[in-house]
Amino acid sequence: MPYQLHYWPTIQGRGEFVRLALEAAGADYVDVARLPESEGGGGSALGQRLGDPDNPRAAFAPPFLVDGDVVVGQTAAILLYLGPRLGLSGVGESDGLWTHQLQLTIADAVAEAHDTHHPISTGAYYEDQRDAAVQRARAFREERIPKFLNWFEQVLQRNPAGDLHLVGDVLTYADLSLFQLVDGLYYAFPKATARALARTPAVEKLHANIKRRQRVHEYLQSPRRIAFNEDGIFRRYAELDG
């Protein structure tokens, strides 16, 4: 049976980290909410699944993954589950744990990127918190983007197997997720991200290498890849990029 990924059908968001792992591994999966409504797709059907009173272990929010009788929510937990099944967790328990730790750090960066455009309330429009967003974004682009990317640069440089991967000498979901983080930062903060990457050449090289991988390249060129937009986590507002 194919994996069932449940996520909002019109944004990349946190579901994109799972999509990239599935695509890079050539896994058989269905992006359920993007199916026609007649086949159980659409945002309303996704909401109904989240609110299913008969599911004692319902996810708090998308994404969640269904694999037979197993249902897993939270991006990092989904990837922890999928990693060894897709061959994307490195070699052995230690590599698997390190890959998971890297993913959790990426999740921290993603949350901070989101909060640049919604620093006060996720329930209010960006326009209602623009002044606070400008302040939050300034700190993010001047302090936090460099700090996160510098740390990943150190991880790559200290990898005993070389700087082509974050974990050992094989592709892991952490590599794919760092690619997605950088891609999102490039979209939302093109000037600030270019400055940070100029000082983190190994991170920039990893981003370029992942983009050239055949399955990833084919996915990025396909209609399955949803374009970045101002409804997702990474949003481009010129005033936030200084």
Side-chain angles (χ1 to χ4, degrees):
M1 295 291 290
Y3 294 108
Q4 294 181 17
L5 173 63
H6 296 263
Y7 195 67
W8 304 114
T10 59
I11 61 172
Q12 291 184 18
R14 291 174 174 83
E16 192 67 12
F17 297 93
V18 182
R19 291 188 188 109
L20 276 168
L22 292 165
E23 290 281 351
D28 187 12
Y29 79 101
V30 179
D31 205 340
V32 178
R34 298 183 71 187
L35 294 172
E37 291 186 3
S38 60
E39 298 178 27
S44 60
L46 176 60
Q48 290 173 5
R49 291 186 178 94
L50 281 173
D52 183 1
D54 296 324
N55 182 3
R57 297 183 177 182
F60 175 73
F64 61 94
L65 182 90
V66 177
D67 179 23
D69 294 332
V70 176
V71 181
V72 189
Q74 294 284 357
T75 301
I78 294 170
L79 291 170
L80 180 66
Y81 175 80
L82 284 176
R85 291 163 174 80
L86 301 180
L88 293 174
S89 291
V91 180
E93 183 180 24
S94 179
D95 278 5
L97 184 59
W98 180 226
T99 303
H100 182 53
Q101 180 178 328
L102 294 166
Q103 185 64 42
L104 291 172
T105 304
I106 290 169
D108 290 341
V110 170
E112 290 193 28
H114 170 272
D115 288 350
T116 59
H117 51 78
H118 277 76
I120 297 175
S121 170
T122 58
Y125 290 111
Y126 166 70
E127 290 75 15
D128 297 329
Q129 48 196 314
R130 187 191 301 266
D131 292 343
V134 169
Q135 294 183 33
R136 183 68 172 264
R138 182 185 301 116
F140 181 69
R141 67 175 186 265
E142 294 179 0
E143 302 170 15
R144 302 302 287 170
I145 291 177
K147 184 167 185 175
F148 278 115
L149 296 190
N150 287 340
W151 185 77
F152 283 110
E153 180 78 7
Q154 293 174 17
V155 171
L156 288 164
Q157 291 178 346
R158 294 173 184 175
N159 183 356
D163 65 359
L164 295 180
H165 297 288
L166 290 165
V167 183
D169 61 356
V170 297
L171 179 72
T172 65
Y173 62 79
D175 295 321
L176 297 163
S177 291
L178 181 55
F179 161 82
Q180 176 64 11
L181 173 63
V182 172
D183 227 40
L185 292 175
Y186 251 140
Y187 175 79
F189 303 95
K191 293 186 290 186
T193 302
R195 289 194 296 269
L197 287 174
R199 297 187 293 271
T200 53
V203 172
E204 187 173 36
K205 181 172 65 174
L206 181 143
H207 177 264
N209 287 343
I210 294 296
K211 196 170 187 176
R212 286 194 293 264
R213 293 185 71 92
Q214 182 176 351
R215 285 175 177 159
V216 174
H217 175 76
E218 291 174 353
Y219 168 62
L220 296 177
Q221 301 303 312
S222 77
R224 298 190 303 280
R225 171 75 163 185
I226 301 169
F228 287 108
N229 59 62
E230 276 55 65
D231 292 321
I233 291 172
F234 300 103
R235 305 186 187 186
R236 179 176 292 175
Y237 298 114
E239 62 267 29
L240 300 190
D241 197 23

